[in-house]
Amino acid sequence: MAVWSDSPSVYSDSNRTHNRSINQWFIAPIYLLPQTAFTIPQSINQSINRRLYLALCILSSSLLPHCDTFGNVFPHIRLAGTPMRNLRLLSESQQLLRAADSQEEGDEIKWLTTGASGSVLCGGHRHFFTLHEAPAGVEHQAIPPDCSHVVGAEFLIADNVLFLATSEGTLLHCYGGTVTDVVCHIPAGISAFRWSPDQEILVITTNLEHEGGHLLVMTADWMPVVTEPLNPDDFGEQKPVTVGWGKKETQFHGSEGKEAAKLKAQLSKSVSSQDDLRPRISWRGDGQFFCVSTVSTATNTRVIRIYDRQGVLQGTSEPVNGLEWSLAWKPSGALIAATVELPRWREVVFFEKNGLRHGSFALPFPVGESTVKELQWNSSSEILLVWTVLRSEDGLLTDVIQLWTTGNYHWYCKQTFRFARTTSAILAAVGWSQTDPYKLFLVQAEGRLSVLEWTWDVCRSLDNSATVAVIDGSKLLLTSFAYANAPPPTSSHTLQFPTFVNQAVFSSTATSYQLAVATDSRTFYLFTSNRACPSEAPILHKTCDLPFSHSAILFWCGKEHLAAVEVTQVNGETVWGVWTFSVHDETERELESLPSLELLEEDKNCKLVGYFDAPVYHFTAERHLALVYLKNGQVLQADLRPDAGKVTSLIKLQPDCDKIVIQMNPSHSHHIPPIIYTLNSSSHKLHRSNVQVSDDCTSFILTPDFLLYTTHHHKLVAIPIHHSGNDVKFGSSSDERQLERGSRLVTTVASTGVANEKCSSSDGTAVILQLPRGNLEIIHPRALVIGKICDFLRAGKKNYRGAFNLMRKHRINMNLLVDFDLSQFLQDVPVFLAQIGNSVDLNIFIAELSDENVTATMYKSHFPAAAAKDVVTTTVPVEVPGKSNRVLDALEKGLDRMPGNELFLSRMACHIYKKPQELEQALFKVMELMKSFHTTEAEDALKFILYSTNVDELYNVALGTYDFDLVLMVAAKSRKDPKEYIPFLNQFRSLQPEAYQKFSIDNHLKRYAKALGHLASMGREKFTECVELVVQHQLYREALVIFREQSEERAKLLCLYGDFLSTTKRKYGEAAILYDEAGNANEAVENYRKSLDWQLAMACAAKANWDAKTLAKSADLTALALKSAGRHFEASRLLLDYTGNVSGAFGTLLEGRLWSDAHLLLEVRDCGPTARSKFGAAIADAASGVLAQIGDIEAKVDKYQLRLKVARQIKRERKAGGLGDEFIDNMSETSSVSERSSMRSSKFSRTSSKNRRKDEKKKRSLREGGPYEDLALLDALKALYRQTETLMTGEVASLLKYLLLLRRMDVGCQLQRAFGALLKNLQRRREEIWTMEELSAVLSGSLAGHTFGPDATTSSIVSGLAASAAQDAREPQPGDLSLTDLALYVPPDFNLIASWNEMHLEQFE
């Protein structure tokens, strides 16, 4: 046991051997440490090890997802402001800690603390009780009689014990059972104490009677850190220093004058008469600072002092009149809360760490009738609990618990609970759970413990007004977002109540709502919306008293009934009952006449649905069926019909979900279960009937068509809701957009169905978001906008005007009007024109038309191809050729059918935006308007055309109409100078005849084809000019179309066209046909010869009746051209047929090595006396050439194989040295690679092809020592194998055959042996060059991650490689291997020995 001596600086502890400073073993301050149990192994028996183990468990657990290891709150999960959200009571549970008759006098419960695993400990001076959550049960333990004046208690997680401190100075550890241990004693006594959040530091204040009290700071091992008086004279280390700037003397003081600056603030010289004069201690959430509120002996007023973790005074609060004892430091560290008593009211004031005031808010109770007993923050710093004691005129006391929250610099009172003090029921203690920031414990002195669970919820209506109700004390703030966007704390309407509002629940239809309000006095109010003027405040319909407790939870049960959920006792067991009651039936007995809950079941207005063994989190009903969601995740179905009373289990969902939305089946069929959306706000998991939708959801809203939810990644996700008739998987398509950090959903604005000028969001696509700083933001998600547009365009509605307005407002591409259903739109063109009704809007639509199908491109995510829709097929084309022209044609026809000149500008637009533009037709329509004396419309139309097109281009088009009046009208509206265009037009006017005038205009406009037509129409005298025009502008085809009939002019044009094709284009075959048609045989034969078409050449010569000599000469020239082209057989046939030169034909066959044809000609025709010797000599020369090729192949194979071994060895050495395949001679080979890698991407895209060709060329370089030498050698070796295969199938087999016929056995045997040896050598070397080890090494390095095997095909492998290459966005590196490179490692298909000639020439010798 540790004993404090009379001198606070002397300390001894026989059980502790560790001597260390306070920070020696301090890990890191834990932000908002939850008091959660950790099972500590028995082997960890030292205090230091236990604390290290505890710290590691906390740091590695998921209990602090919002903090880093230094206690800083992650900025991306900063809590959102709460102005638009209310605290909704989820459930209440009660537990009787002891029997009512077992309480002894003086043994009332005085304190409460939270323990391990969700347990709660509370007790008094003699006993304490432990309520365990799992397994449920109450454990009772006595406190030693000599330690009966307990000051406070706290559960120590590291030691798994309850710590108690008594006013006599005793510090105890209470273990399980009856074991207690006095760990320390302070003779000066204890007036207050508080452990740090990490339970490493203990702060104690001693009794004031002992030397005025001291402040003691010690470690968890009871080692002293600092001891100092409670009321030191100095300010602290952070005392502000002033340099005289901003003195009060220099400030403006209004009518009071400068003398007001000299007045000193008068502080009250005495504390409150209700002050117990005891100190109060509060820690900041990270454990770095704590504050102490004491009564200053010098001024007899309360003062707050701020200390650091080592007990060093940092600052003192500024003097405040009427400062009281309540003290609570916000866990997030921003503010210190206290209360101040003013003459007419009481305030909660806030101080900063430096002691300066920082805001306040007034409490709604009179000063003389109220006393603030305690302030408490919840662990998330969102809610401030204010415990006030009210005193009535007759002396009765009432405890009032209020929950306050702030947003946009305004404090809201969200919940108020009253507990009247009686002899049997006195509220003894309250406390927040440290693991669940929205769980509150209340314990009464007689031993009844209540557990209240809260959640944040937006109270919103689902009708067209999109009304949101915000609770603010005795006021209910209503904002209809369809008509106004009032930023909090302002609102559209305010409903004032005599008492504090606790609940507000909406029941909505499409056009109206009902609002049920319950106050802390158990009074019920029913409001209905003003149907005549929905933007006005709702109308009070009914008021009555509720026979339920203040913690009863209300739900709407259809349109006529409400349901109430309340905890009660049945046969000694805690159950949760659900009652339904009518709110509109005035004939039955009013609810206010029911004296107690027991009479509810006997009343005709109320009906018991059932008792449940778990808290009811949600209740909803439609018609006669009700669904009940319990805390354990069980969903029950109840039949509400009279005398039914049947409750059955429906489905088991995720437990502890505080946000539940049930989507009932539209057909109300019992066979189709409802879809239930649940959100667990602590785990942020959103489920759809047990299927997880998101694991980082922060808020969600269900609309008729979409599920909207926000995430911790600051995104808004919209998922379409497909009904049961659709086979689309939920979540297969979604739309996301970025949000401001910490945004939360408030409500959505439904469509009003009709346009409303007063409605700010009548299109039904608005989503209201609450931002962290409290302001609101209205957005229109693209998914909702497009969904609404599609709803307008469906066949049943055909609301093109509504869709157009929505698209124009939100900048949606107008092509969606057409692409949604092209065929339907073409049929609805008259309806579309009638609804649009003006040229401005119609021209906007026309201007955006294109052939692009936006449902398959920019809005593809909103029109999934798998969705079964009437208008979107499973194969959606990206582009619809001619779509825009088809739509414009349909619009033009529809506009033409309209009477008068309505929408005449849109008629112009239909011509202007066609592809190609129809400017001439547009100008003609302008002329029609002029001629029909619609001058104003004509001028407007011309201005529109000039605005939509280029002025010079339009002027040329007008000139091309040959209408000078139209040209002058266009020129007059343009910026052209009349001094220029009038003389220019007069020149054309003076030309005669009219055809030549038109020719001159077309020639000026470079419309040469039209100009040629006009010129040709003037007869033979202008043919010379026609020829000049044709040759100058290459109008040969157009000229031949004009001069169709056979004539001299056509023949001349044919020859000119032939000359052009022959000399310029080198298209000899086409030129020859033109010459042939023109009758020019010489040029025709010559061009046929150049095109090597010898049959047509000789046929043309024969048709021209050439003599034999000329024909033979032409045949010789053609044969020479054929031989040059390698077509020796055709050349020999030409010589035989047309010249009779047998020897020349024989020589041509020998030259082409056509041995079979030459041998046949030798045997059947007389080829001359030396023909046979020439044949044998040619065979022998060819065999010698083949033998030379065989020797060259063998030499190269030997050389390349030897070098390949060296290259591979060098490559392996480079890999072993860490250089890898990417090692390249940077100085010689890849100096451009580093430069290319630093180029901009646009430049790389232009030069990548050139660089790739350069790299490929390097890979085929046989330079020794090159980086790709092995690839080049493999490529060269494969080429040699292909050359060998060509020799065998080509010359070798034929040569051997004719060497045998000629009995040249010596040469034949030599060739046969040499080629056979080559084949065997290559077959053997093939296994040595292309090894499986080398192939596997290359594949493992270059094709890692790809699948090969017996089931893989070439197509699948290539497709996989191509897909991987497409996904790889990096720049190609010089060491990368392409598919062509990898193919070099595959051995060639070489199996020629099996098909080699088995007949040996030796047997014929």
Side-chain angles (χ1 to χ4, degrees):
M1 181 183 74
V3 180
W4 283 95
S5 66
D6 292 337
S7 175
S9 61
V10 180
Y11 174 80
S12 63
D13 182 5
S14 58
N15 297 329
R16 296 288 189 264
T17 58
H18 304 292
N19 295 319
R20 66 186 190 278
S21 64
I22 185 172
N23 284 327
Q24 185 174 353
W25 294 104
F26 178 66
I27 303 297
I30 307 301
Y31 175 81
L32 201 60
L33 176 67
Q35 294 187 1
T36 304
F38 293 89
T39 302
I40 302 177
Q42 294 295 329
S43 60
I44 304 179
N45 53 10
Q46 294 182 349
S47 174
I48 176 176
N49 291 337
R50 286 200 301 272
R51 285 193 294 276
L52 285 173
Y53 181 78
L54 171 63
L56 292 175
C57 291
I58 294 174
L59 291 174
S60 62
S61 68
S62 60
L63 295 175
L64 300 174
H66 305 339
C67 308
D68 59 13
T69 56
F70 297 98
N72 300 318
V73 180
F74 287 149
H76 66 277
I77 53 169
R78 184 177 52 168
L79 295 172
T82 58
M84 302 305 296
R85 298 189 296 169
N86 299 321
L87 271 178
R88 180 171 63 87
L89 183 62
L90 272 178
S91 68
E92 179 192 15
S93 59
Q94 295 180 357
Q95 178 67 41
L96 191 61
L97 301 179
R98 61 186 173 189
D101 55 355
S102 64
Q103 179 177 343
E104 301 177 5
E105 184 178 356
D107 193 25
E108 297 86 359
I109 292 178
K110 298 291 185 180
W111 51 265
L112 178 146
T113 184
T114 56
S117 302
S119 60
V120 182
L121 298 93
C122 49
H125 297 304
R126 300 179 183 178
H127 301 83
F128 69 90
F129 304 89
T130 304
L131 175 63
H132 298 282
E133 185 175 15
V138 178
E139 181 181 346
H140 172 266
Q141 187 173 348
I143 299 175
D146 55 346
C147 304
S148 58
H149 296 86
V150 178
V151 176
E154 185 167 347
F155 187 83
L156 301 181
I157 300 176
D159 298 322
N160 200 23
V161 298
L162 176 65
F163 174 83
L164 296 177
T166 66
S167 60
E168 295 84 359
T170 304
L171 305 180
L172 298 114
H173 278 179
C174 298
Y175 302 92
T178 60
V179 181
T180 59
D181 182 15
V182 178
V183 295
C184 182
H185 181 74
I186 300 175
I190 299 175
S191 58
F193 80 92
R194 184 75 66 185
W195 282 94
S196 64
D198 57 4
Q199 296 182 347
E200 286 286 336
I201 304 297
L202 176 63
V203 178
I204 297 176
T205 59
T206 62
N207 290 329
L208 302 177
E209 295 80 5
H210 189 276
E211 299 179 0
H214 285 81
L215 175 70
L216 307 179
V217 180
M218 64 178 66
T219 68
D221 295 333
W222 322 116
M223 295 180 61
V225 177
V226 70
T227 302
E228 66 175 33
L230 272 179
N231 295 292
D233 297 331
D234 59 333
F235 180 89
E237 290 186 350
Q238 297 184 2
K239 182 178 181 179
V241 178
T242 176
V243 294
W245 295 346
K247 288 185 176 180
K248 290 185 177 181
E249 290 83 352
T250 64
Q251 306 301 314
F252 177 71
H253 296 279
S255 61
E256 295 181 357
K258 292 186 177 181
E259 296 298 325
K262 302 177 182 179
L263 298 178
K264 299 292 185 179
Q266 299 296 325
L267 299 179
S268 59
K269 297 301 182 180
S270 61
V271 296
S272 172
S273 60
Q274 300 175 356
D275 199 324
D276 58 4
L277 306 181
R278 290 177 52 193
R280 300 293 192 277
I281 305 172
S282 181
W283 279 86
R284 199 171 77 171
D286 59 358
Q288 293 299 301
F289 296 92
F290 65 90
C291 59
V292 180
S293 174
T294 61
V295 176
S296 175
T297 56
T299 61
N300 197 29
T301 57
R302 280 271 174 183
V303 176
I304 300 175
R305 293 181 174 87
I306 296 93
Y307 297 84
D308 65 4
R309 188 178 178 86
Q310 286 76 25
V312 179
L313 180 63
Q314 299 296 309
T316 304
S317 66
E318 64 177 273
V320 177
N321 284 320
L323 184 64
E324 295 183 322
W325 60 89
S326 300
L327 185 69
W329 198 326
K330 197 174 184 179
S332 63
L335 301 172
I336 302 171
T339 57
V340 173
E341 181 182 352
L342 299 178
R344 289 183 297 175
W345 65 84
R346 179 174 277 104
E347 285 186 348
V348 175
V349 297
F350 301 100
F351 297 89
E352 298 179 4
K353 192 185 70 172
N354 55 13
L356 299 179
R357 284 189 58 173
H358 186 89
S360 63
F361 68 89
L363 294 176
F365 303 111
V367 173
E369 302 176 5
S370 64
T371 302
V372 176
K373 186 175 182 180
E374 190 172 351
L375 300 177
Q376 282 192 29
W377 291 96
N378 74 330
S379 59
S380 64
S381 302
E382 293 178 278
I383 306 171
L384 177 62
L385 181 146
V386 181
W387 182 359
T388 307
V389 179
L390 300 181
R391 180 179 292 102
S392 62
E393 295 179 356
D394 54 1
L396 297 178
L397 299 179
T398 302
D399 292 289
V400 179
I401 300 297
Q402 289 187 321
L403 303 182
W404 292 78
T405 184
T406 184
N408 235 13
Y409 302 98
H410 178 77
W411 282 89
Y412 299 81
C413 179
K414 295 295 184 180
Q415 290 288 323
T416 302
F417 287 92
R418 297 176 184 266
F419 300 89
R421 290 191 179 184
T422 62
T423 56
S424 60
I426 300 176
L427 186 62
V430 298
W432 290 101
S433 171
Q434 295 301 312
T435 57
D436 186 350
Y438 306 114
K439 182 180 289 188
L440 179 65
F441 302 104
L442 300 96
V443 61
Q444 296 180 353
E446 76 277 7
R448 182 179 298 276
L449 177 67
S450 299
V451 182
L452 304 178
E453 295 184 42
W454 310 90
T455 186
W456 289 112
D457 192 23
V458 177
C459 180
R460 65 189 189 96
S461 67
L462 301 181
D463 66 326
N464 296 336
S465 66
T467 302
V468 175
V470 178
I471 296 175
D472 186 10
S474 60
K475 296 183 294 184
L476 189 65
L477 310 180
L478 298 179
T479 300
S480 299
F481 284 99
Y483 303 96
N485 178 21
T490 62
S491 60
S492 301
H493 311 286
T494 301
L495 303 181
Q496 184 68 49
F497 296 88
T499 55
F500 298 101
V501 179
N502 277 352
Q503 294 186 69
V505 189
F506 278 104
S507 173
S508 306
T509 62
T511 58
S512 63
Y513 65 82
Q514 299 178 95
L515 176 61
V517 180
T519 64
D520 65 325
S521 60
R522 298 191 297 176
T523 305
F524 171 77
Y525 300 85
L526 180 64
F527 295 86
T528 58
S529 60
N530 191 337
R531 297 191 179 186
C533 187
S535 60
E536 296 297 329
I539 301 170
L540 180 62
H541 178 73
K542 184 177 183 179
T543 302
C544 63
D545 294 334
L546 288 175
F548 304 102
S549 68
H550 58 269
S551 59
I553 306 171
L554 298 180
F555 297 95
W556 275 100
C557 182
K559 302 176 183 178
E560 304 289 336
H561 295 77
L562 275 171
V565 178
E566 187 170 26
V567 61
T568 184
Q569 298 286 328
V570 175
N571 298 327
E573 297 291 335
T574 301
V575 294
W576 288 262
V578 179
W579 287 267
T580 62
F581 56 91
S582 173
V583 294
H584 291 289
D585 191 357
E586 300 290 348
T587 60
E588 300 293 341
R589 185 154 49 99
E590 291 289 343
L591 291 176
E592 58 189 7
S593 64
L594 297 175
S596 64
L597 187 65
E598 287 74 11
L599 298 178
L600 279 175
E601 299 182 35
E602 303 176 3
D603 188 71
K604 296 181 180 180
N605 267 358
C606 295
K607 174 181 173 56
L608 175 66
V609 177
Y611 292 111
F612 304 94
D613 58 356
V616 177
Y617 272 15
H618 188 75
F619 180 89
T620 186
E622 187 168 346
R623 296 187 177 181
H624 60 275
L625 290 180
L627 294 180
V628 183
Y629 174 85
L630 305 182
K631 180 180 179 180
N632 57 17
Q634 190 69 37
V635 178
L636 306 176
Q637 181 174 283
D639 194 338
L640 300 181
R641 286 176 294 187
D643 303 328
K646 183 180 180 182
V647 178
T648 58
S649 177
L650 184 63
I651 190 175
K652 183 69 166 63
L653 299 178
Q654 302 296 319
D656 300 320
C657 294
D658 49 1
K659 304 288 191 306
I660 300 99
V661 177
I662 300 178
Q663 181 185 3
M664 302 298 290
N665 176 31
S667 61
H668 306 286
S669 174
H670 300 287
H671 305 289
I672 302 178
I675 300 175
I676 304 176
Y677 296 86
T678 58
L679 172 63
N680 189 322
S681 296
S682 59
S683 65
H684 306 289
K685 292 183 178 181
L686 175 64
H687 287 80
R688 178 180 183 266
S689 297
N690 274 333
V691 178
Q692 181 170 307
V693 179
S694 173
D695 59 356
D696 64 342
C697 176
T698 57
S699 62
F700 82 96
I701 286 179
L702 189 68
T703 70
D705 299 315
F706 289 92
L707 169 65
L708 305 175
Y709 66 90
T710 57
T711 68
H712 277 307
H713 293 86
H714 323 301
K715 292 182 178 180
L716 173 65
V717 183
I719 301 179
I721 299 176
H722 304 287
H723 299 290
S724 58
N726 209 324
D727 296 330
V728 177
K729 182 181 178 182
F730 181 83
S732 59
S733 62
S734 62
D735 182 68
E736 297 181 358
R737 63 166 292 169
Q738 289 293 128
L739 298 176
E740 186 172 338
R741 186 183 298 270
S743 299
R744 300 290 187 271
L745 289 168
V746 175
T747 187
T748 60
V749 179
S751 175
T752 58
V754 295
N756 190 340
E757 295 180 357
K758 296 182 180 180
C759 183
S760 62
S761 302
S762 60
D763 50 27
T765 62
V767 174
I768 291 85
L769 297 166
Q770 175 100 48
L771 275 60
R773 56 183 177 271
N775 61 311
L776 301 178
E777 183 175 282
I778 296 180
I779 63 172
H780 295 264
R782 182 58 55 88
L784 271 66
V785 173
I786 294 182
K788 193 65 180 178
I789 293 170
C790 295
D791 184 59
F792 280 145
L793 296 179
R794 280 182 170 72
K797 294 187 177 180
K798 297 183 181 180
N799 187 358
Y800 291 102
R801 166 49 75 178
F804 178 85
N805 291 339
L806 201 58
M807 295 169 71
R808 184 177 182 181
K809 177 180 178 181
H810 298 289
R811 303 178 67 87
I812 304 297
N813 192 289
M814 292 294 174
N815 282 277
L816 185 58
L817 287 171
V818 180
D819 295 333
F820 183 78
D821 190 347
L822 177 58
S823 59
Q824 184 66 38
F825 180 84
L826 293 176
Q827 296 177 8
D828 293 340
V829 165
V831 179
F832 173 75
L833 293 175
Q835 291 185 9
I836 299 301
N838 65 83
S839 294
V840 176
D841 293 341
L842 189 56
N843 290 346
I844 292 175
F845 167 75
I846 293 173
E848 285 196 33
L849 281 177
S850 66
D851 290 342
E852 179 187 3
N853 184 1
V854 295
T855 63
T857 54
M858 64 178 66
Y859 305 130
K860 181 179 180 180
S861 60
H862 305 285
F863 296 90
K869 290 176 59 180
D870 298 334
V871 296
V872 180
T873 60
T874 56
T875 56
V876 182
V878 175
E879 186 172 338
V880 182
K883 180 196 75 175
S884 59
N885 285 350
R886 289 176 59 191
V887 174
L888 291 174
D889 290 337
L891 290 175
E892 185 181 358
K893 294 179 181 178
L895 291 170
D896 290 340
R897 287 193 291 266
M898 298 184 70
N901 294 319
E902 295 182 14
L903 307 178
F904 63 93
L905 291 181
S906 298
R907 300 183 186 184
M908 303 296 107
C910 290
H911 295 293
I912 293 172
Y913 288 100
K914 275 191 180 178
K915 300 176 183 177
Q917 290 181 323
E918 297 179 349
L919 296 180
E920 290 187 14
Q921 289 84 338
L923 290 175
F924 285 138
K925 289 191 176 181
V926 173
M927 289 300 298
E928 291 177 3
L929 290 173
M930 292 290 293
K931 293 176 181 179
S932 59
F933 303 102
H934 294 86
T935 308
T936 304
E937 290 85 348
E939 290 180 355
D940 292 342
L942 185 57
K943 289 179 181 178
F944 176 76
I945 298 174
L946 287 170
Y947 178 79
S948 304
T949 59
N950 182 272
V951 176
D952 295 332
E953 182 182 356
L954 184 62
Y955 176 80
N956 291 334
V957 171
L959 183 61
T961 62
Y962 318 114
D963 190 333
F964 292 100
D965 294 336
L966 183 60
V967 177
L968 287 173
M969 184 177 64
V970 172
K973 296 297 181 180
S974 67
R975 296 182 180 180
K976 290 183 176 293
D977 188 357
K979 295 181 181 180
E980 295 181 1
Y981 68 78
I982 291 179
F984 174 75
L985 294 178
N986 289 334
Q987 291 179 3
F988 288 120
R989 286 175 182 263
S990 62
L991 295 177
Q992 294 297 330
E994 183 181 357
Y996 194 76
Q997 184 187 82
K998 292 181 179 179
F999 157 74
S1000 301
I1001 293 175
D1002 289 331
N1003 192 34
H1004 169 75
L1005 297 177
K1006 298 182 180 181
R1007 301 191 301 186
Y1008 301 115
K1010 285 189 174 183
L1012 179 62
H1014 294 306
L1015 195 61
S1017 65
M1018 299 174 64
R1020 288 175 175 262
E1021 61 273 10
K1022 294 295 183 180
F1023 181 72
T1024 303
E1025 293 185 35
C1026 286
V1027 171
E1028 293 176 358
L1029 186 64
V1030 168
V1031 173
Q1032 182 181 359
H1033 300 292
Q1034 300 177 5
L1035 302 175
Y1036 301 104
R1037 295 184 180 179
E1038 293 80 357
L1040 292 177
V1041 173
I1042 295 173
F1043 296 92
R1044 293 179 180 274
E1045 299 180 358
Q1046 293 294 336
S1047 60
E1048 294 180 5
E1049 291 82 1
R1050 180 176 177 82
K1052 185 173 182 179
L1053 291 172
L1054 288 171
C1055 291
L1056 290 173
Y1057 195 11
D1059 294 340
F1060 172 75
L1061 293 177
S1062 178
T1063 57
T1064 304
K1065 300 296 185 181
R1066 296 185 181 276
K1067 296 182 178 180
Y1068 303 110
E1070 297 178 12
I1073 295 175
L1074 294 173
Y1075 286 127
D1076 194 1
E1077 184 181 354
N1080 192 343
N1082 293 332
E1083 292 295 336
V1085 172
E1086 180 64 23
N1087 280 274
Y1088 279 133
R1089 182 188 303 119
K1090 291 180 180 180
S1091 65
L1092 300 180
D1093 196 346
W1094 62 274
Q1095 293 94 338
L1096 287 178
M1098 301 312 296
C1100 183
K1103 184 174 64 174
N1105 298 319
W1106 285 7
D1107 55 20
K1109 183 178 180 180
T1110 305
L1111 193 62
K1113 184 177 179 180
S1114 177
D1116 287 333
L1117 294 175
T1118 306
L1120 184 60
L1122 289 172
K1123 285 194 293 182
S1124 300
R1127 296 164 60 175
H1128 294 83
F1129 178 77
E1130 296 173 83
S1132 65
R1133 180 180 173 186
L1134 188 61
L1135 292 174
L1136 287 175
D1137 294 343
Y1138 292 96
T1139 66
N1141 187 358
V1142 178
S1143 61
F1146 180 72
T1148 300
L1149 293 173
L1150 292 180
E1151 184 180 348
R1153 297 194 176 189
L1154 301 175
W1155 313 120
S1156 299
D1157 297 316
H1159 183 260
L1160 176 61
L1161 186 61
L1162 180 63
E1163 297 298 336
V1164 300
R1165 301 287 293 271
D1166 183 12
C1167 298
T1170 61
R1172 290 188 180 275
S1173 60
K1174 289 180 180 181
F1175 182 74
I1179 291 290
D1181 291 342
S1184 300
V1186 171
L1187 287 172
Q1189 290 186 44
I1190 292 174
D1192 183 61
I1193 290 174
E1194 288 184 338
K1196 287 183 178 180
V1197 170
D1198 292 340
K1199 176 184 176 181
Y1200 292 161
Q1201 184 182 7
L1202 180 61
R1203 185 58 198 171
L1204 182 61
K1205 293 181 181 179
V1206 177
R1208 286 177 174 174
Q1209 181 63 29
I1210 295 174
K1211 192 173 183 179
R1212 285 191 289 268
E1213 291 175 357
R1214 287 175 178 172
K1215 283 188 176 181
L1219 298 177
D1221 293 338
E1222 293 78 10
F1223 175 79
I1224 298 176
D1225 187 1
N1226 294 324
M1227 298 300 296
S1228 61
E1229 299 243 355
T1230 59
S1231 59
S1232 63
V1233 173
S1234 60
E1235 296 172 3
R1236 184 174 73 249
S1237 63
S1238 62
M1239 293 180 183
R1240 299 180 60 169
S1241 59
S1242 59
K1243 185 175 181 181
F1244 174 76
S1245 64
R1246 295 193 299 268
T1247 61
S1248 58
S1249 298
K1250 179 180 178 181
N1251 291 331
R1252 282 196 297 269
R1253 290 194 298 268
K1254 185 178 179 181
D1255 291 339
E1256 290 298 325
K1257 186 176 180 181
K1258 289 180 181 179
K1259 291 179 182 180
R1260 301 302 180 263
S1261 174
L1262 292 173
R1263 182 178 65 85
E1264 293 188 1
Y1268 305 109
E1269 185 184 3
D1270 56 337
L1271 291 177
L1273 291 171
L1274 289 174
D1275 188 32
L1277 287 169
K1278 277 202 168 184
L1280 293 175
Y1281 274 80
R1282 290 192 297 269
Q1283 183 181 354
T1284 303
E1285 186 175 1
T1286 303
L1287 280 176
M1288 175 179 170
T1289 57
E1291 289 192 64
V1292 175
S1294 178
L1295 282 174
L1296 290 177
K1297 178 172 61 176
Y1298 284 100
L1299 286 172
L1300 176 61
L1301 292 177
L1302 296 176
R1303 293 296 176 176
R1304 295 294 300 273
M1305 299 303 179
D1306 51 345
V1307 179
C1309 291
Q1310 182 183 1
L1311 178 60
Q1312 190 175 41
R1313 286 193 295 270
F1315 195 74
L1318 175 63
L1319 292 179
K1320 293 180 181 179
N1321 186 23
L1322 293 180
Q1323 184 70 28
R1324 176 179 56 82
R1325 292 176 183 269
R1326 176 177 175 272
E1327 306 299 331
E1328 299 174 358
I1329 296 172
W1330 288 279
T1331 62
M1332 292 301 299
E1333 293 79 5
E1334 191 70 23
L1335 178 61
S1336 301
V1338 174
L1339 293 179
S1340 62
S1342 299
L1343 302 179
H1346 296 271
T1347 303
F1348 299 91
D1351 297 331
T1353 62
T1354 303
S1355 177
S1356 64
I1357 295 174
V1358 172
S1359 300
L1361 292 173
S1364 299
Q1367 295 176 0
D1368 189 6
R1370 66 183 180 90
E1371 180 181 345
Q1373 300 298 318
D1376 292 343
L1377 296 180
S1378 62
L1379 291 177
T1380 306
D1381 300 334
L1382 296 175
L1384 296 177
Y1385 291 91
V1386 179
D1389 295 332
F1390 190 80
N1391 192 17
L1392 301 179
I1393 295 180
S1395 58
W1396 175 238
N1397 189 6
E1398 297 293 338
M1399 181 179 63
H1400 296 282
L1401 298 185
E1402 289 85 349
Q1403 60 187 347
F1404 294 99
E1405 293 183 359

